[in-house]
Amino acid sequence: YFENTMSAGPAGVIKWLAIVSILIVLLLGLIILIFGIKESGDAESPLGFFEGAWQSLMATLDSGTMGGDPADAWPFRIVRFAATLVGIFVISILIGSISSGIDEKIDELKKGKSKVLESNHTLILGWSEKVFSIISEIIEANSNQKKPSIVILADRDKVEMDDEIRDKIEDFKNTKVICRSGSPLESSAIAVVNPNEARSIIVLANEEANADTYVIKSVLALTNGKNRKKEPYHIVAEIKDAKNMEAAELVGNDETVFVLSSNLISKITAQTCRQSGLSVVYSELLQFDGDEIYFNEEKSIVGKTYKDALFAYDTSSIIGLFTADEQVLINPPMDTVINSGDQVIAISEDDDTVKVSGMSSWNIKQDLFNDSESNDVKTEFTLILGWNERGINIIEELDNYVAKGSEVLILADGAIDIDETLTDLKANLKNQRISYVKGNIIDRSTLDSLKAENYDHIILLSYKDGMDVQESDATTLICLLHLRAISEKVNKDFSIVSEMLDIKNRDLGVVAKADDF
């Protein structure tokens, strides 16, 4: 029993100190009673039990009271001295225990184990390099909100997370960021960050090889948790491997949107390398700085056509409809009728600028429109430098757009064996031929021999297998510098799309060119 109470922490120590102090005070009071000890030599009667115990208690709690004891009462002094010695030890241990308990409580708070009291917050489960971009964008989106907050739960030290976020993000504006330590795979840990009152939940894939299994389990802990709310969650989760998408959707319960990040980046890479300026459009739409995409339900246009909706807004551009039965219609037929519960999909400066203008006259100049179509499709030549698993998706995406007879040349390190992969890929392509050259992408003579100026598009991929993130990005940057030097030498602007693994290195590679993304 003694061991169990002592292991309970400061409370157990204080309990035993109280017991010892009471016993000693009672014992000293009993000694005063038995021996008839007086407070002074000329006192008429000895002290009673309760008065003796009280005087002993005072000496125990305050050793300074001994200085005022009468000089002719040595028995009384001896008892008080014993009480004072006991008090020195008791009070010292008591102060130490209380101090230790406070320190433990502060350490516990630093570990981020306390329950989050915020509501209507954005909840992020998991940790990766993407978290800093996500926080930055949400901060920008929250700039017109009242007391917004972001809560992060990850299996990392809270102090480390706080320090990293403050190091990467300079201005938090009006948004409060709260970090908590705990496993996003456990319902008990997730309960600490108050998911039932969160406005939206983001589940990030970590850097582990089997990251998707962690994401799926985190979503399962949310959707099947014991204390989950009755209303559906608004969850967006990241999946890296398409093979895991089916299993993920089984646990999503129709309340989770799974983003196949690798496939999405591959498509953006393929499309931005082909279309001049498209990278600027994507950057604008996918950032909350400037104009972005919003959904808005407007009762005044219910019963009208999509064509009417296009002209109803002056500060926004309508690009489609999100129907009441959750169908997304991008640029539907002009005679599509807008029903109750349908939302317009708009490009606008902010969510509060998607408003009908009330205008009835637009002064359209019909003579400025040209309805002719161009069928001048030509073959395209694409150069891919470096290789990783995204290369397959990029080439397959390109095959949907290029003319028959187009070509792709891949230059990659000889240590990477992609011959078998390319054999399977060639069988599925309709419009492109693939060539593969083994070589070093940062060797200038090798790059010169390829004659990069003869290619319509250049895609620079990061090496991921067997290479550190920083080393891989350094290789990409060196290759990018060589390409820009070749571009200046031959006096031709290259269309280059480069992949960076660490967001910190992106600023080193960025230049103000629409075709260099």
Side-chain angles (χ1 to χ4, degrees):
Y1 175 75
F2 176 76
E3 287 180 353
N4 288 337
T5 52
M6 290 297 287
S7 64
V13 177
I14 293 172
K15 176 182 176 180
W16 279 109
L17 285 174
I19 292 172
V20 170
S21 299
I22 290 171
L23 291 176
I24 290 175
V25 166
L26 293 177
L27 176 63
L28 293 175
L30 191 62
I31 291 173
I32 289 175
L33 177 66
I34 293 172
F35 293 99
I37 297 174
K38 298 180 180 181
E39 190 172 1
S40 64
D42 57 353
E44 295 180 1
S45 59
L47 295 171
F49 173 75
F50 290 107
E51 182 63 25
W54 174 258
Q55 293 292 344
S56 299
L57 177 63
M58 292 300 99
T60 302
L61 296 177
D62 184 7
S63 57
T65 58
M66 262 191 71
D69 291 343
D72 59 346
W74 275 103
F76 181 70
R77 281 186 169 187
I78 292 170
V79 173
R80 295 261 289 179
F81 179 68
T84 300
L85 287 178
V86 172
I88 290 172
F89 287 102
V90 168
I91 297 300
S92 298
I93 297 172
L94 180 63
I95 292 172
S97 299
I98 293 173
S99 176
S100 175
I102 293 173
D103 289 341
E104 286 179 13
K105 190 63 179 176
I106 292 173
D107 289 339
E108 186 178 332
L109 291 172
K110 286 182 178 179
K111 291 176 182 177
K113 301 294 184 182
S114 59
K115 185 175 176 60
V116 170
L117 302 180
E118 271 67 24
S119 59
N120 199 35
H121 54 285
T122 302
L123 174 58
I124 300 175
L125 301 180
W127 185 274
S128 74
E129 283 295 325
K130 299 182 183 72
V131 75
F132 307 110
S133 297
I134 292 171
I135 293 173
S136 298
E137 292 303 317
I138 296 175
I139 288 172
E140 188 66 38
N142 287 340
S143 57
N144 65 339
Q145 303 294 320
K146 186 178 180 181
K147 294 183 178 179
S149 57
I150 301 170
V151 179
I152 304 166
L153 175 68
D155 200 4
R156 291 167 57 95
D157 182 72
K158 177 188 183 300
V159 176
E160 289 182 5
M161 289 190 285
D162 287 335
D163 290 343
E164 280 195 57
I165 291 170
R166 283 194 294 266
D167 183 49
K168 302 281 180 64
I169 300 171
E170 296 180 358
D171 186 7
F172 291 88
K173 297 186 178 179
N174 61 330
T175 300
K176 179 167 61 174
V177 179
I178 302 164
C179 295
R180 288 290 180 266
S181 292
S183 173
L185 308 179
E186 300 173 5
S187 297
S188 57
I190 295 176
V192 170
V193 290
N194 199 9
N196 289 343
E197 295 188 57
R199 178 175 58 183
S200 57
I201 302 173
I202 300 170
V203 183
L204 289 179
N206 57 34
E207 307 301 332
E208 302 291 334
N210 56 342
D212 288 350
T213 58
Y214 293 96
V215 172
I216 292 171
K217 191 173 180 184
S218 293
V219 173
L220 187 63
L222 280 166
T223 56
N224 286 14
K226 291 181 180 179
N227 301 317
R228 65 150 297 163
K229 61 181 180 179
K230 294 180 180 179
E231 300 80 15
Y233 288 116
H234 177 199
I235 306 171
V236 177
E238 177 191 7
I239 292 292
K240 290 186 173 182
D241 193 337
K243 295 193 295 290
N244 298 318
M245 185 62 80
E246 187 174 350
E249 289 175 345
L250 289 175
V251 304
N253 286 356
D254 296 327
E255 50 192 329
T256 307
V257 175
F258 291 97
V259 178
L260 190 57
S261 57
S262 180
N263 188 47
L264 177 64
I265 293 173
S266 299
K267 288 185 175 182
I268 291 177
T269 302
Q271 293 169 10
T272 52
C273 82
R274 292 191 67 256
Q275 180 63 56
S276 177
L278 183 60
S279 61
V280 179
V281 176
Y282 273 131
S283 297
E284 177 74 16
L285 292 181
L286 297 178
Q287 293 179 10
F288 281 103
D289 186 17
D291 293 353
E292 47 277 334
I293 297 173
Y294 292 99
F295 295 74
N296 185 64
E297 183 177 354
E298 178 57 53
K299 293 181 180 179
S300 65
I301 59 174
V302 172
K304 296 183 179 181
T305 64
Y306 177 67
K307 178 181 178 180
D308 296 327
L310 292 178
F311 290 101
Y313 294 83
D314 185 40
T315 57
S316 308
S317 297
I318 307 303
I319 62 173
L321 297 174
F322 183 63
T323 65
D325 57 352
E326 299 189 349
Q327 283 188 314
V328 177
L329 307 176
I330 300 298
N331 196 27
M334 292 294 114
D335 58 356
T336 302
V337 178
I338 299 174
N339 300 311
S340 178
D342 292 352
Q343 300 179 67
V344 294
I345 306 173
I347 298 176
S348 191
E349 185 177 356
D350 220 325
D351 51 0
D352 54 6
T353 60
V354 187
K355 297 179 179 179
V356 293
S357 64
M359 296 172 58
S360 57
S361 177
W362 302 279
N363 299 320
I364 299 172
K365 299 178 180 180
Q366 297 285 353
D367 58 318
L368 295 180
F369 290 90
N370 183 357
D371 294 331
S372 62
E373 296 183 5
S374 173
N375 294 318
D376 184 21
V377 180
K378 64 183 185 68
T379 56
E380 300 177 22
F381 298 89
T382 304
L383 175 62
I384 297 180
L385 302 173
W387 188 257
N388 59 48
E389 75 280 356
R390 288 197 180 117
I392 300 171
N393 293 333
I394 291 172
I395 294 173
E396 289 177 338
E397 182 70 13
L398 283 171
D399 202 55
N400 295 322
Y401 302 104
V402 299
K404 198 171 187 63
S406 298
E407 295 184 12
V408 176
L409 174 63
I410 301 169
L411 173 68
D413 196 318
I416 301 176
D417 185 15
I418 61 173
D419 292 311
E420 186 176 344
T421 303
L422 294 181
T423 301
D424 296 335
L425 182 59
K426 289 175 183 177
N428 298 325
L429 298 179
K430 297 178 180 178
N431 300 319
Q432 298 176 106
R433 296 192 301 271
I434 302 178
S435 303
Y436 172 44
V437 176
K438 293 183 178 181
N440 191 343
I441 66 170
I442 61 174
D443 181 60
R444 179 60 183 268
S445 59
T446 302
L447 294 175
D448 285 333
S449 66
L450 294 177
K451 298 191 179 298
E453 62 272 14
N454 295 332
Y455 289 87
D456 299 295
H457 321 295
I458 301 175
I459 298 173
L460 185 49
L461 296 179
S462 299
Y463 287 115
K464 294 183 178 181
D465 296 332
M467 206 180 264
D468 177 71
V469 168
Q470 299 304 325
E471 183 183 357
S472 176
D473 279 356
T475 302
T476 303
L477 286 168
I478 293 171
C479 183
L480 193 56
L481 290 172
H482 283 316
L483 289 174
R484 288 175 180 160
I486 295 171
S487 171
E488 292 179 4
K489 181 180 178 181
V490 300
N491 195 26
K492 180 183 177 181
D493 288 335
F494 291 168
S495 172
I496 309 172
V497 177
S498 312
E499 179 187 20
M500 289 287 175
L501 301 181
D502 189 340
I503 192 171
K504 298 191 297 290
N505 297 323
R506 182 181 182 274
D507 293 337
L508 299 176
V510 167
V511 294
K513 290 184 179 180
D515 296 330
D516 198 349
F517 183 45

